[in-house]
Amino acid sequence: MGWLVAALARVAFIAVWIATPLVGRAFDGNWLFPLLGALLLPFTALAYVLAYVPGTGVTGWAWAWVALGLLVDFAAHSTGAYSSRRRLAGRSA
């Protein structure tokens, strides 16, 4: 289920990237960091783009949204390992 949430976050980030200039403003026109964000940490990248204010950047409590995005990314990536813990419990290393 975590893969579905992460996939939807990637689709949302790419839709924001294509449909609005927010990603270009937040990452100063660079394409490498948004691409890495879409692949590795889509919730964090999306929260950063939405919290970014032109001219000042991300400041104050806006960083809390970025941190929350990071926690959601970690949760989405860890659900696969947690759900397969019983299957892997019988294996010896």
Side-chain angles (χ1 to χ4, degrees):
M1 190 65 166
W3 64 269
L4 179 63
V5 172
L8 290 175
R10 285 179 178 92
V11 168
F13 181 76
I14 291 171
V16 167
W17 194 354
I18 292 170
T20 67
L22 296 176
V23 175
R25 270 191 276 173
F27 291 102
D28 293 326
N30 191 357
W31 61 269
L32 182 62
F33 290 128
L35 182 64
L36 288 174
L39 293 176
L40 301 175
L41 299 170
F43 279 107
T44 307
L46 186 61
Y48 180 81
V49 166
L50 295 177
Y52 183 83
V53 176
T56 60
V58 180
T59 59
W61 283 100
W63 282 110
W65 290 107
V66 177
L68 182 65
L70 184 64
L71 291 175
V72 172
D73 276 326
F74 286 159
H77 288 293
S78 67
T79 56
Y82 181 75
S83 65
S84 64
R85 71 188 184 284
R86 288 188 184 160
R87 184 172 42 120
L88 297 174
R91 292 189 179 185
S92 61

